[in-house]
Structure formats: C-alpha cells, structure tokens
C-alpha cells in the first residue's frame, strides 16, 4: 500500500471493489458526456480483472475509510522498445476528492508498475476539451502525442470486416 499525504492510500483492485468501480465508470462516462454509450457490467469487469486469464489490472485509492478513485490499465507492447508498457484505460476520482493528491497517487501506482517490471511507457488518452486533466498530466511529465491520429473500427464495420472469410484457411 502506498500513502500520499496523510489520508490517501492506493492498493491493487480486489474483487469486492468491482461493483463500486463499475458505478464510477458509469459516473465517468456521464462526466465525459457519453453516459448512454457505457454498457459495462459487474460481471464483465469481474471477469476481465479476476477471470481465468485476466486481461485488465487496476488500483484503487482510499480515503476516509472508503474508495474514492480508481485506475484500470492493461499491457500494451512496443516493437520499437521491445518491451511492454501500461495503457491507462480509465481513471476516476470522486469530485470531492479531486485536487487532494488522489489522481497523482493513481498515476504513481501505474508508473511504479512500469518501473518495477522494466516497461518503457505509460500511455493514456485525454479528451481534447478536458483542459484540467491535460494540465494535470502535463505537470506529471506527460507529453501529447499529437502527431498521431487515433482510429477506431467498431459496430457494423467491425462485424463486416471480421466476418470476412479472406485469409482464412
């Protein structure tokens, strides 16, 4: 467990945390003006974190005897560095605990994973309009990767592309 300030502690996610994290993910989606797009369930998150082959990891922040924030992350891989990295998928801090070191503590937890495991990168996305988070992460040393454009294939386009028999034996 890591302590930041006198009142905030971070630790790895435990199975009893899942329901609270799902609520917070839905709160985050609403904050990002995408609440109607968030379909995460308790069972889905439990399976990703604690199933037979976990593909997701995370830390929670606690203060005043309760969970006040979380970060969920997964491994990526850089062929240029030849090492894994950490991709921060979602981070959320309860509004009344923002600006109290909670976000920094959660970033420190991910960075510690990178350092301890020899990973070379900690990456994440931030919405262009979220100037508070942009300034905060810049204060931690984050640099925008603005020469790259993110693309996504999803929905019917993904189904059509993935349903094609091309290349199958």
């Amino acid at each position: 467990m890591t302590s930041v300030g006198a009142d905030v502690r971070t630790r790895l996610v435990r199975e009893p945390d899942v329901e609270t994290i799902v609520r917070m993910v839905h709160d985050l989606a609403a904050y990002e003006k995408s609440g109607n797009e968030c379909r995460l369930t308790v069972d889905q998150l439990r399976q990703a974190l604690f199933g037979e082959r976990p593909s997701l990891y995370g830390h929670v922040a606690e203060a005043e005897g309760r969970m006040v924030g979380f970060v969920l992350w997964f491994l990526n891989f850089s062929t240029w560095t030849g090492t894994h990295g950490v991709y921060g998928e979602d981070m959320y801090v309860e509004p009344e605990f923002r600006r109290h070191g909670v976000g920094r503590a959660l970033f420190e937890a991910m960075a510690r994973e990178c350092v301890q495991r020899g990973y070379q990168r900690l990456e994440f996305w931030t919405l262009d309009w979220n100037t508070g988070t942009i300034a905060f992460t810049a204060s931690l040393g984050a640099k925008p990767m603005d020469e790259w454009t993110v693309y996504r294939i999803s929905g019917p386009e993904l189904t059509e592309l993935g349903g094609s028999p091309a290349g199958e034996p």
Side-chain angles (χ1 to χ4, degrees), residues 8 17 40 47 63 71 83 97 113-114 125 127 139 141 158 163-164:
V8 179
D17 302 326
L40 179 67
Q47 183 64 31
V71 64
T83 64
F97 287 91
E113 294 288 338
C114 290
W125 291 1
L127 290 166
S139 77
L158 179 63
S164 170

Side-chain angles (χ1 to χ4, degrees), residues 10 18 63 120 135:
T10 61
V18 170
Q120 301 294 307

Side-chain angles (χ1 to χ4, degrees), residues 65-85:
R66 67 182 181 97
M67 187 188 320
V68 298
F70 76 90
V71 64
L72 296 174
W73 54 272
F74 56 87
L75 298 181
N76 56 23
F77 188 84
S78 168
T79 55
W80 290 15
T81 67
T83 64
H84 281 289

Side-chain angles (χ1 to χ4, degrees), residues 47-153:
Q47 183 64 31
L49 287 164
F50 302 104
E52 187 175 316
R53 294 194 313 210
S55 57
L56 186 67
Y57 310 92
H59 289 80
V60 299
E62 296 176 317
E64 299 179 4
R66 67 182 181 97
M67 187 188 320
V68 298
F70 76 90
V71 64
L72 296 174
W73 54 272
F74 56 87
L75 298 181
N76 56 23
F77 188 84
S78 168
T79 55
W80 290 15
T81 67
T83 64
H84 281 289
V86 164
Y87 179 82
E89 172 61 18
D90 274 328
M91 179 184 288
Y92 181 78
V93 176
E94 294 282 1
E96 65 270 26
F97 287 91
R98 294 177 187 160
R99 301 189 188 278
H100 293 281
V102 176
R104 180 177 184 89
L106 291 167
F107 267 102
E108 286 174 355
M110 286 190 296
R112 203 168 22 262
E113 294 288 338
C114 290
V115 170
Q116 290 173 352
R117 297 176 185 207
Y119 301 162
Q120 301 294 307
R121 295 179 178 168
L122 170 54
E123 297 178 318
F124 54 92
W125 291 1
T126 299
L127 290 166
D128 291 338
W129 57 260
N130 195 341
T131 56
T133 297
I134 292 168
F136 165 64
T137 57
S139 77
L140 300 176
K143 294 174 182 49
M145 303 296 292
D146 54 9
E147 68 273 12
W148 295 88
T149 300
V150 176
Y151 287 90
R152 177 178 293 158
I153 301 173

